[in-house]
Each structure stands twice: as C-alpha cells, then as structure tokens.
Amino acid sequence: MCGIVAATAERDVVPILIAGLKALEYRGYDSAGLSVLADGALARARTVGKVRELEARLDSEPLHGSSGIAHTRWATHGVPSERNAHPHTSVGSVSVVHNGIIENHEALREQLRASGYEFTSDTDTEVIAHLVHHIAKEGANFRDAVAQAIARLEGAFAIAVMSSDAPGTIVGARRGSPLVVGIGIGEHFLGSDVQALIKVTNRFVYLDEGDLVEITRTSMQVFDADGAAVQRRTHQSELSADAVERGEYRHYMLKEIFEQPRAIAETLEGRIAGHRILPNIFGVGALELLPRVRHVQIVACGTSYHAGLVAKYWLEALAGLPCSIEVASEYRYRKVVVPRDSLFVAISQSGETADTLAALREGKRLGYLGSFAICNVPESSLVRESDLVLMTRAGPEIGVASTKAFTTQLSALALLVLELARLNGLDADRCARFVDDLESLPRRVAAALELEPAIATLAERFVAKHHTLFLGRGVNFPVALEGALKLKEISYIHAEAYPAGELKHGPLALVDEDMPVITVAPNNALLEKLKSNIEEVRARGGELFVFADTSVEIPANGERGAVIKVDAGSDLIAPAVFTVPLQLLAYHVAVLRGTDVDQPRNLAKSVTVE
Ligand code: G6P
C-alpha cells in the first residue's frame, strides 16, 4: 500500500528518498515519484512501475535538493499512470504525497474547480495540494494552511507536504494511516514506517492519531488534533538495517519461510519455564483481567484471520471458552452483540491494517472486558491502542505473502490459549504436555523445511493448472485456507479451501483430472473421516496430494498424486508445521510460473486503507 518518505537536511536528500522508497517496496505499489526543492523551485519526477524505473529516470534527468518528499503509490482513485502518481502539485508551488483515501474529494474538487484550479490527475490526493495552495493564497502561513486544509478532509490519511514558499520545511500529518518522524543529526525525516528510515536514523517519534508535525533541518514540532504544541517521546528503534536485507536468498519470501524455526523460538523465548507459561508475559493488568474472561472475540484480516481461526478451535477445546471470530471489515460495520466478560483479541502482523484498527476502536467503544493485541510491530498503532499485548518476534516481514508472521502468531496464540486453559481448569499435567509440545515447534518446523527439494519437484505438477482445491478438517481447516491463500496470492492459480466434510455439498462436482486436491492429514480423532473424504476424491479420478503426519498410513494414489510425510505432532502444533510445506509449494509454483513472488500483482503488504 502507499508509502511515504520525506527528508530535510543539509545534504542532497534524493539518495535518502530513493533508499526509503526501496525499503517501502514490500508494501506493494504500482508507481513512484518524488519532489525536491532545488534553487527555490519545486522539481518532480514520477514513473510507473518499480522504484528502479524512477532511479533510471533520475539517472538521465538528475534532480538534487536538500528537502524533498517521495511516494510509492498503490492505486485507489485512478489507474496506475504517471499522471496519477504522487507527488501531486498545485500551481508549481505546493507538493503533496498521501497515503489513504479522501472521502469528500469530489465535493472539494468541485469547489476548487470553481475557484479556478485545474486538475491534472484522477486522484483524490490532488485536492489536498490545491486546498493548501488556496488557503495559503488567502494569507495563512504554510503550516497553518496545511492544518486548515486537513480540517476539511474526510477519510483516513497520512500526508507529507512541501511548499516553495517555505524552503526546507515539510509538514506531515496522520489521521488513520501511519507516519513516523525520524530524527537525525541536523536533519529530520518522515516515513510510513521505521524501515523506510532505518538506514539514516534509529531515533523515532511515533505520531498520535490527529497529530501534525512540522520538520525543518534543525527543528521538529508536533501539534495535536486540537492544534496545541505537544511533546511526543523519542524512541530508539532496535531494528537493524540488516534485518531488512534479502541476503543469499532469491526472494524475501523464501528467506522468511526459512527463518521460521528461529522466529518461533524467539516468540516462545522467555515466556515458558518449567513446563509452564510464565504468568507475567501478557503485560500489566493481565493477571487481574485474564481470569475474568468468559468469552473471546477475535478480529483480524487475511493470514492473521486464519491464525485466529486456529485459535478458536484451541480455545473451545482446551480452555472451554466460547470464541467468536470475524474478519475486521465485517465486524466493524455491523451491529455487534457483546457477550458479558468478553476479551477482544486483534491479530495483525503490521498493527496498521485499517480495518483491524477500526474494529479495535469499535470494540473499545462497545465495552469489552479489555483489548488484547497479537502483533509483530512494537511501535504500531494496534500495540499502542490495546490494553494487553503479546508481541510476535518474527522480525520484519517483507514478502507480501505472510509466512513467518503466521506461524509466530500461532505460537503467541498458543501461549494465550494455554494460559486461559490453565485458568479455566485444564489439569496441570495436560498443560505441561502442551507446553512441551509447543517447545518442540521450532525443531519440527525445521524438519518440515527439509522437505523443500521434494516440494520443489512436486511444484512442477501444478504449474499448468488453473484451479486447486485444499481440504482440511477441524483445527487444520484454517491451514487449508492459508495454503489456498498462499497459492492464489503468489502463483495466481485459483485456489479454494473447504472443510473436508463439505466436499459432498458442492466442490466434489469440480473434481476431475484437471483439479488437483491438496489435503493435510494429522493423526487426530478426525483422521478416519478425512480418509473417507480422500476416497471420495480418488473415486472421481482426482489428483490427490496428501501431507500426512509420519504416523499416518495413507496409500499413495499411484501416478495420480503423492503422499508427503511430515512430523506434525499434536493439534496444538500441527497447524504451524503443516503450513510450512504449503508455503513452500506455493513459493515453488510461483517461481516456476515466473510471477513476482515478493510483490504479487495488485496486492499490498500493509493495507492501511479500507
Ligand atoms: C494484507 C497482506 C496479508 C496480511 C493482511 C493482514 O492483505 O497482504 O499478508 O495477512 O494484509 O495484515 P496484518 O498486518 O493486519 O496482519
């Protein structure tokens, strides 16, 4: 999704802006651009496609300047094109980059047209540039003009604005979309996230909702939603620039798949001791709050939603607590009845997903017992706005298709579920066995990764396919959903997941020699039921690929499929273990099909607009 970088310094900021845009590439985008102030005038370069196209343009038509704003655009209003790429300017003197959606842009456009402004793009963003210009023309200074302009905007956004009338000054603002301030030595920056700026500073100020910030080379001043000057704390980021490098791997996604044993181990680190979950790991207030929980409401999007679905099975089976789960975009817009003593759990890798954040805010309004975030980004809005937090420690995830975030979310959720299970009477021995199981997860995931060469070979059988069906039962049904999501996201093969028991109610009609069926077969109480479903596929001549626990005997389907053995373990850890070969399969199919694995078409890593 759109990314913002801005810098004001003594040196030429163009290399900083380009490096920042590259660090934001992972969010997904379709065009890029920048504006700098050079010799008192604004100069702009914009290109469709990757940041390297912008670089190439700058090689042939160089720009330099000591202050500038830059952007990667993910189209919402207007097709991806150079004229719609940001920055957008007004009368050559105001330049704006914007992340989010201005909902009242049509009304503003009409008013500004009536005032004589000409529009050169189809975007909602351009109204901001003209509005700032219009207000400044009436006599407001630059910062006030931006403040007055945003007061007239409806919707969610983060912006960075510069003006040739205020050389060296950049004004940023956030309402609903993330924006951080980077503090350098004699220079200041703005970025959509810490990663965009980590090469130039490790000191950051996280803006609050509604904040406006004015930066110059030597100063930074934040104003809150009421326009009052405020102090926001400076944080030292622990992110290292190396953590966002691809290293020897061909793609970030592959690197991140292979990082899973370590990421899971780190997520569990210091949170388990003596076969028990340590009681103080859920933060201040948890000891008092968690024992009161009688119901859990989970809200999330995409892969994080799949992690939540797994947790629902666990919560009801192990803790005996009723659990509801819903995708955030649905939850936030319907009339919700909140059961008594319900805990609101939001799961998000980025902590900036617009729908998940809106659902959290709605949940707080509705009066849950408390809010609990499972998140991978410590500085994110979700973390800052939740009562209790359990961080996944996956490290930066760059590939748009989520991998290590998912398995670390499962690990964190397992910790929460086991604690709630203990509080609700799960006996100590069973609890200890589950905790031991959980500790074996990094080792089992590492073993599953050894299947990579076999899965790379298997992938060849999917390259020419147009559709795939994934089946799972019980706690592994969400695994089927996640496997299908991975395949469709990065290989563009249509993939659907069904609970295996639903096969006869429709999808079986699709099964023929051109429709491969993939299923995971754990050694649990549902195995015999699953075997019947497998026979139903076989009997229709379907091609069948089974990822089966090592202890499960399932006959191979001759030429028409394969059985791959995985040491999956109990229902508490099998979902994470089985997910690994499905990730690898999606990855290798995508590589063979030649798609853009890390930045699949049309998708964004961090969906900061609804
Ligand atoms: C986007 C990403 C997915 C992710 C989802 C939720 O769709 O492409 O990989 O699962 O957003 O993101 P979150 O950061 O809230 O987990």
Side-chain angles (χ1 to χ4, degrees), residues 74-320:
W74 188 82
T76 56
H77 292 73
V79 294
S81 64
E82 194 168 317
R83 68 192 287 275
N84 286 334
H86 299 210
H88 289 286
T89 59
S90 181
V91 201
S93 71
V94 174
S95 193
V96 176
V97 290
H98 161 224
N99 174 4
I101 292 176
I102 306 304
E103 288 174 357
N104 59 339
H105 72 103
E106 276 169 4
L108 290 170
R109 187 181 271 252
E110 286 318 307
Q111 291 163 21
L112 288 159
R113 269 212 183 105
S115 303
Y117 285 94
E118 269 179 42
F119 282 78
T120 58
S121 78
D122 310 314
T123 65
D124 52 338
T125 304
E126 197 179 348
V127 297
I128 308 173
H130 293 316
L131 201 53
V132 172
H133 182 272
H134 186 57
I135 296 168
K137 205 174 61 183
E138 310 276 286
N141 71 33
F142 174 48
R143 189 184 77 218
D144 287 345
V146 177
Q148 288 174 38
I150 59 176
R152 295 183 53 191
L153 303 180
E154 287 166 21
F157 55 82
I159 56 169
V161 195
M162 60 193 293
S163 163
S164 54
D165 292 336
T169 300
I170 297 170
V171 176
R174 70 160 285 178
R175 192 200 293 163
S177 295
L179 193 67
V180 301
V181 185
I183 301 173
I185 299 168
E187 44 194 26
H188 284 99
F189 316 97
L190 299 176
S192 285
D193 64 25
V194 164
Q195 265 148 260
L197 304 173
I198 198 67
K199 288 201 166 128
V200 283
T201 184
N202 64 354
R203 292 196 304 139
F204 295 94
V205 168
Y206 303 109
L207 297 177
D208 275 4
E209 265 301 279
D211 278 357
L212 178 142
V213 63
E214 180 182 61
I215 56 170
T216 68
R217 196 169 69 71
T218 51
S219 69
M220 185 223 24
Q221 180 64 63
V222 181
F223 301 86
D224 68 12
D226 299 323
V230 282
Q231 294 292 329
R232 300 271 180 245
R233 209 154 64 82
T234 302
H235 299 253
Q236 191 100 7
S237 174
E238 284 169 14
L239 185 69
S240 79
D242 291 352
V244 286
E245 298 295 336
R246 187 155 47 79
E248 78 218 42
Y249 289 93
R250 181 165 170 196
H251 294 102
Y252 279 107
M253 182 179 178
L254 190 63
K255 173 179 180 246
E256 288 157 6
I257 289 173
F258 274 85
E259 280 174 347
Q260 288 178 109
R262 187 184 50 77
I264 295 168
E266 282 183 16
T267 299
L268 301 177
E269 172 78 35
R271 292 170 168 173
I272 291 176
H275 313 282
R276 300 186 48 214
I277 310 288
L278 293 172
N280 57 353
I281 63 169
F282 303 103
V284 182
L287 290 180
E288 192 260 324
L289 191 146
L290 292 183
R292 294 167 53 205
V293 173
R294 304 266 51 90
H295 171 265
V296 177
Q297 171 69 57
I298 304 179
V299 170
C301 301
T303 288
S304 299
Y305 171 72
H306 295 159
L309 267 179
V310 173
K312 174 184 164 70
Y313 284 89
W314 288 338
L315 266 168
E316 302 211 347
L318 303 181

Side-chain angles (χ1 to χ4, degrees), residues 1 26-27 299-306 346-357 374-377 382 397 399-403 405-406 409 482 485-486 489 600 603-608:
M1 204 129 279
Y26 77 96
R27 297 162 76 92
V299 170
C301 301
T303 288
S304 299
Y305 171 72
H306 295 159
I347 310 169
S348 172
Q349 185 282 129
S350 61
E352 300 293 353
T353 300
D355 283 324
T356 309
L357 278 174
I374 305 256
C375 190
N376 193 38
V377 180
L382 189 76
E397 190 181 67
V400 164
S402 187
T403 52
F406 178 68
Q409 283 167 348
E482 179 59 10
L485 178 63
K486 289 299 84 120
E489 277 180 317
L603 297 182
K605 179 75 183 157
S606 189
V607 182
T608 50

Side-chain angles (χ1 to χ4, degrees), residues 316-602:
E316 302 211 347
L318 303 181
L321 286 177
C323 174
S324 314
I325 169 155
E326 194 162 9
V327 289
S329 54
E330 284 297 309
Y331 177 91
R332 66 180 286 197
Y333 285 124
R334 69 179 184 85
K335 168 103 182 62
V336 175
V337 177
V338 181
R340 283 185 60 176
D341 298 329
S342 182
L343 178 68
F344 187 96
V345 176
I347 310 169
S348 172
Q349 185 282 129
S350 61
E352 300 293 353
T353 300
D355 283 324
T356 309
L357 278 174
L360 170 73
R361 290 169 190 151
E362 178 63 9
K364 288 175 115 172
R365 201 182 62 76
L366 289 172
Y368 283 85
L369 205 54
S371 53
F372 191 114
I374 305 256
C375 190
N376 193 38
V377 180
E379 311 85 7
S380 63
S381 306
L382 189 76
V383 167
R384 285 184 286 139
E385 294 181 30
S386 299
D387 301 326
L388 302 178
V389 173
L390 189 60
M391 296 308 303
T392 52
R393 298 174 185 148
E397 190 181 67
I398 307 293
V400 164
S402 187
T403 52
K404 61 177 179 171
F406 178 68
T407 49
T408 54
Q409 283 167 348
L410 289 179
S411 310
L413 283 162
L415 293 169
L416 175 63
V417 169
L418 288 178
E419 179 61 3
L420 287 170
R422 184 188 70 78
L423 290 167
N424 285 278
L426 185 70
D427 75 72
D429 282 355
R430 281 190 75 203
C431 242
R433 276 205 304 282
F434 283 127
V435 171
D436 292 351
D437 264 359
L438 197 52
E439 285 193 289
S440 75
L441 188 53
R443 174 175 57 74
R444 286 180 202 255
V445 166
L449 287 169
E450 287 174 19
L451 293 169
E452 197 205 359
I455 291 172
T457 308
L458 196 69
E460 292 165 13
R461 297 168 69 174
F462 288 81
V463 178
K465 300 291 182 198
H466 299 291
H467 309 276
T468 307
L469 203 56
F470 285 73
L471 301 176
R473 268 187 179 267
V475 72
N476 289 299
F477 164 52
V479 172
L481 285 169
E482 179 59 10
L485 178 63
K486 289 299 84 120
L487 191 68
K488 75 178 85 149
E489 277 180 317
I490 59 170
S491 76
Y492 315 149
I493 293 175
H494 171 226
E496 276 198 75
Y498 271 90
E502 277 290 291
L503 194 59
K504 294 197 249 343
H505 299 293
L508 198 54
L510 299 170
V511 173
D512 63 10
E513 55 284 359
D514 290 327
M515 170 71 99
V517 176
I518 298 175
T519 186
V520 294
N523 189 1
N524 66 11
L526 295 170
L527 179 60
E528 291 311 314
K529 305 267 177 225
L530 186 79
K531 281 184 173 170
S532 309
N533 303 135
I534 287 173
E535 288 312 316
E536 288 159 10
V537 173
R538 265 196 238 281
R540 269 86 190 165
E543 224 179 335
L544 189 65
F545 299 88
V546 186
F547 292 91
D549 185 75
T550 35
S551 60
V552 166
E553 278 312 318
I554 290 194
N557 203 19
E559 294 286 284
R560 312 269 320 125
V563 175
I564 298 106
K565 290 297 181 82
V566 187
D567 182 12
S570 75
D571 277 356
L572 190 69
I573 51 172
V577 183
F578 275 132
T579 299
V580 173
L582 300 186
Q583 295 167 343
L584 286 168
L585 182 66
Y587 173 78
H588 282 288
V589 175
V591 168
L592 290 171
R593 284 168 68 96
T595 58
D596 189 342
V597 171
D598 284 332
Q599 289 161 35
R601 67 184 182 201
N602 306 341

